[in-house]
Amino acid sequence: MRLAFLRRIHLFRDLTDEELAVVAEEFEEEVRKEGEVICEQGSEADRFFIIYQGRARVSRVHRKEEQELAVLVPGDYFGEEALYNHHKRSATVSTAETSRFFSLTRAQFDQLIKQFPKLKAGFEISIASRRLAREMRFNWLRPDEVAYFVARKHETLLLQSLSGPFVALSVPIFLLVYFFLTRSFLSIFLSGILFLVVIAWAVWNAIDWGNDYYIVTNQRAVWLEKVIGIYDSREEAPLNMVISVGVETDMTGRLLNYGNVIVRTYVGKIPFRHVTHPYQAAHVVEELWTRTKQSASRQEKEAMRNILRQKMGLTVETKVETEAPKLDKEVMPKLYRRSIFKVITDNWFKLRLEDSGIITYRKHWFVLWRQIWQPSLLIFLIVMGMFARLYTLITTPSEKLFDFTNGIRVDTVMIALPIVLLPLIGWWIYQFIDWRNDIFQVTSDQILDIDKKPFGTEERRAAPLENILSTEYHRIGLAGYLFNFGTVEITVGASKLAFEDVLDPATVQADIDNRRAARILQKREAEAIAERERMSDWLLAYHENEPELRQQEAPPEAESKSE
């Protein structure tokens, strides 16, 4: 039992059965009551723990405020970071319910690390992941989501990206030497400029290397990719969509212990490129993927057991269930009395609206400006021309707006400019309505891409939320990065829908994922209830008629004797 439990944890995947048996013998089993503190922040580290049954809360006091970091479940472990690095505890862990743990003393922990060096890789990626998770604090994680694996590309890729600037430094160094030989001020000037350019190039590459993250939570696998000022994207897939996990390495990667972890899903793959300890990283993904499947199976069995007990008139055991993901609701401001004009125009320029459970997005203001800048410029020039002409008429006695000498005559320019202005205003209004009518919506059961031309046709594309296989977003170009807009691509079967040029695409993606998760849970629950009802009716019918069916069975011995 203990061996099978430890085998499922990624730390011990590379051990043989004999080695794992030695490790299992070292663990001590202990039970802690609900609310009991297992280890306290700032205290000396003395033990390593694995949760066998129950749950534990991880909290941390930061700036005199207590923050809950995570809720740990069976298979999770804690305490290794302080033991491994000889530090004090970085957080407080307490039981959320009566729980059972496997634990090692500091001496046992150190001895096992020395005896089985293969354990070091698993602990190292775990410690590095927790450190990065604390530093980054990804704000798109859901309240019930825990990051188990967080990694950057291997340091070798950083050195490769810095090799170009390092070689380029030879040019300003050469110019500097040339200055000392010839006292040419042009060479020292060029040397200084090129030196700054090379340093900026190196800093750019270093920041670019540090902006790519690979993350695995208890719910999904995520690849964050960012190029400063150019590109920003997040590609992800739920763990229940994963079909396999593989590792790819080359000779250099095997020598330096890095490689690619390929997480394949129903619609493609999410590559974790050039990560340290790739096989151990793959074990983490596999462990969490297996947990997801086992959790779904346990919930289904428990629900089936309860419905059978209910139909048979027995007592149904009720357990506190984890709440389903809730939709993020926008905080609504207080309503004050507003003018009719304010009520009508209040939502004209809003980029995100939420009304009656429907979230509506419009394209970014930058896109609106691209559509209206030409008519806006022409309107501005004509209006300025009208004011200039009016000023000329006022300040020049010989020029008059209205001339009654030979009948009624009006200044030609003041008539022509408003006539030219009218179609430009119509052009501006057309472009504004065209921008305003191009909307994207997320409802409780579907997503919609609606494109309606002013005075023209309306094109509407829709897809059920439960049919979404994956989502990713991109911010491309300097404008997209500076003004925080981009495109969210939604894969639905063999086709894709795109929410183009929306404000804060990461939040839009989160909105879609939250609605999709809620919808899938709702639909699965309805289907599971119907299936349980059907199966329980069959089982109950068999249970009620089992004595009669047994009596009607013909004894085979009697038939053989009659023959």
Side-chain angles (χ1 to χ4, degrees):
M1 193 73 170
R2 182 179 294 190
L3 287 175
F5 173 76
L6 294 177
R7 177 63 72 189
R8 293 196 296 267
I9 300 174
H10 72 92
L11 296 172
F12 311 109
R13 288 287 183 91
D14 290 333
L15 298 180
T16 64
D17 291 341
E18 292 76 12
E19 292 171 335
L20 186 59
V22 174
V23 172
E25 285 295 325
E26 294 294 325
F27 277 100
E28 301 174 13
E29 189 172 335
E30 53 186 282
V31 177
R32 301 291 185 97
K33 296 180 180 179
E34 180 179 354
E36 188 173 345
V37 175
I38 309 302
C39 57
E40 191 170 0
Q41 181 179 349
S43 63
E44 295 293 334
D46 57 352
R47 298 187 81 85
F48 166 69
F49 297 88
I50 299 177
I51 302 177
Y52 180 61
Q53 292 176 340
R55 293 181 303 141
R57 289 191 175 92
V58 183
S59 60
R60 185 182 184 188
V61 176
H62 182 67
R63 295 178 180 176
K64 298 182 179 180
E65 292 185 3
E66 186 174 359
Q67 303 171 343
E68 183 170 306
L69 303 179
V71 176
L72 305 181
V73 296
D76 289 342
Y77 51 87
F78 57 92
E80 79 289 349
E81 184 174 359
L83 290 176
Y84 197 85
N85 294 326
H86 302 283
H87 292 163
K88 292 186 177 181
R89 300 290 191 189
S90 60
T92 298
V93 182
S94 58
T95 55
E97 58 189 54
T98 300
S99 305
R100 180 170 295 170
F101 299 88
F102 294 148
S103 67
L104 295 172
T105 64
R106 174 188 286 275
Q108 290 172 318
F109 181 86
D110 293 339
Q111 178 59 35
L112 288 178
I113 293 293
K114 293 178 182 178
Q115 187 175 356
F116 304 110
K118 288 182 285 188
L119 293 174
K120 293 180 64 175
F123 283 114
E124 286 175 359
I125 66 169
S126 174
I127 294 169
S129 296
R130 295 184 181 184
R131 177 177 52 81
L132 281 175
R134 286 197 302 267
E135 292 176 0
M136 298 308 300
R137 289 193 178 185
F138 302 105
N139 55 12
W140 42 265
L141 291 176
R142 302 181 184 116
D144 59 342
E145 194 169 13
V146 180
Y148 283 87
F149 175 78
V150 183
R152 290 189 178 118
K153 293 178 181 177
H154 193 269
E155 289 80 0
T156 302
L157 276 296
L158 174 61
L159 296 177
Q160 289 179 2
S161 65
L162 295 178
S163 60
F166 180 77
V167 173
L169 274 177
S170 60
V171 178
I173 292 174
F174 173 79
L175 291 173
L176 184 63
V177 173
Y178 184 77
F179 165 75
F180 285 112
L181 294 176
T182 63
R183 298 297 177 182
S184 171
F185 287 98
L186 178 61
S187 63
I188 191 66
F189 175 76
L190 292 176
S191 176
I193 295 296
L194 290 175
F195 181 78
L196 293 177
V197 170
V198 171
I199 293 300
W201 181 15
V203 171
W204 172 286
N205 286 348
I207 296 175
D208 179 54
W209 169 83
N211 276 340
D212 290 355
Y213 290 93
Y214 307 107
I215 305 159
V216 182
T217 73
N218 56 334
Q219 299 179 17
R220 50 185 163 167
V222 184
W223 170 26
L224 292 180
E225 185 180 18
K226 181 187 294 185
V227 178
I228 298 177
I230 304 297
Y231 186 83
D232 182 9
S233 74
R234 184 174 82 218
E235 185 175 352
E236 63 181 61
L239 289 179
N240 56 11
M241 300 295 295
V242 175
I243 57 177
S244 68
V245 181
V247 176
E248 296 176 354
T249 60
D250 55 19
M251 185 173 65
T252 305
R254 287 189 289 274
L255 289 174
L256 300 177
N257 196 18
Y258 72 85
N260 302 331
V261 178
I262 309 300
V263 181
R264 289 182 172 83
T265 68
Y266 289 113
V267 293
K269 61 183 180 181
I270 299 180
F272 291 4
R273 295 191 176 96
H274 305 108
V275 295
T276 307
H277 303 307
Y279 290 100
Q280 285 72 25
H283 294 336
V284 176
V285 182
E286 291 170 351
E287 179 186 351
L288 296 171
W289 173 33
T290 303
R291 280 197 204 179
T292 301
K293 294 188 292 184
Q294 291 175 343
S295 175
S297 177
R298 283 196 303 269
Q299 292 175 6
E300 178 63 25
K301 290 178 181 178
E302 182 67 21
M304 189 66 189
R305 176 176 176 271
N306 286 338
I307 198 170
L308 276 172
R309 293 180 66 88
Q310 183 180 5
K311 286 183 177 291
M312 296 174 67
L314 302 175
T315 303
V316 177
E317 298 177 1
T318 58
K319 293 184 178 180
V320 179
E321 296 183 357
T322 304
E323 293 184 358
K326 295 181 179 179
L327 304 180
D328 293 338
K329 294 185 178 179
E330 187 178 16
V331 178
M332 302 301 294
K334 293 182 179 180
L335 296 177
Y336 297 94
R337 291 187 178 182
R338 298 173 294 174
S339 65
I340 295 177
F341 177 79
K342 179 66 175 176
V343 172
I344 295 174
T345 61
D346 195 36
N347 295 330
W348 277 11
F349 292 95
K350 281 189 176 179
L351 300 183
R352 184 188 186 278
L353 308 171
E354 187 169 356
D355 184 26
S356 302
I358 299 176
I359 306 176
T360 301
Y361 311 96
R362 294 194 180 101
K363 293 186 176 181
H364 196 269
W365 295 308
F366 186 83
V367 178
L368 173 62
W369 175 245
R370 284 190 309 198
Q371 293 184 218
I372 66 172
W373 77 268
Q374 291 176 315
S376 298
L377 178 62
L378 294 175
I379 290 172
F380 175 77
L381 292 177
I382 289 176
V383 171
M384 290 298 99
M386 291 174 64
F387 279 109
R389 181 58 180 170
L390 186 61
Y391 177 79
T392 301
L393 293 174
I394 294 173
T395 58
T396 306
S398 60
E399 299 285 344
K400 296 181 180 180
L401 179 60
F402 298 100
D403 188 357
F404 300 99
T405 305
N406 298 316
I408 300 177
R409 297 178 60 188
V410 185
D411 184 75
T412 306
V413 175
M414 292 301 294
I415 292 178
L417 289 179
I419 292 175
V420 176
L421 185 62
L422 288 175
L424 292 177
I425 293 175
W427 182 15
W428 192 98
I429 293 174
Y430 179 91
Q431 294 294 347
F432 173 76
I433 295 175
D434 182 49
W435 169 83
R436 190 171 182 274
N437 284 347
D438 194 0
I439 62 175
F440 313 99
Q441 290 184 331
V442 181
T443 71
S444 60
D445 58 353
Q446 63 179 343
I447 56 172
L448 299 101
D449 178 1
I450 303 172
D451 187 8
K452 182 180 179 182
K453 294 295 182 183
F455 318 111
T457 58
E458 177 180 319
E459 182 181 356
R460 178 185 295 256
R461 300 179 64 198
L465 286 171
E466 61 268 25
N467 288 356
I468 296 176
L469 299 177
S470 66
T471 61
E472 59 180 304
Y473 79 83
H474 308 276
R475 286 189 297 182
I476 302 175
L478 184 61
Y481 183 81
L482 291 177
F483 298 109
N484 190 21
F485 71 92
T487 297
V488 180
E489 292 185 354
I490 305 110
T491 302
V492 184
S495 62
K496 283 191 175 184
L497 269 70
F499 285 17
E500 298 175 340
D501 300 321
V502 292
L503 174 67
D504 195 2
T507 300
V508 176
Q509 183 190 41
D511 285 339
I512 295 172
D513 288 339
N514 287 339
R515 292 292 178 99
R516 176 180 63 170
R519 176 61 178 172
I520 290 175
L521 285 175
Q522 181 184 17
K523 189 170 182 180
R524 284 182 178 175
E525 184 62 25
E527 292 174 351
I529 290 174
E531 181 66 16
R532 289 184 213 122
E533 289 285 344
R534 186 172 64 88
M535 292 295 297
S536 62
D537 287 340
W538 287 0
L539 292 172
L540 184 61
Y542 174 79
H543 176 74
E544 292 174 346
N545 295 280
E546 183 182 8
E548 182 181 350
L549 292 173
R550 288 187 180 277
Q551 289 178 1
Q552 292 180 357
E553 290 181 358
E557 295 181 0
E559 294 180 3
S560 61
K561 288 180 180 180
S562 62
E563 291 177 357

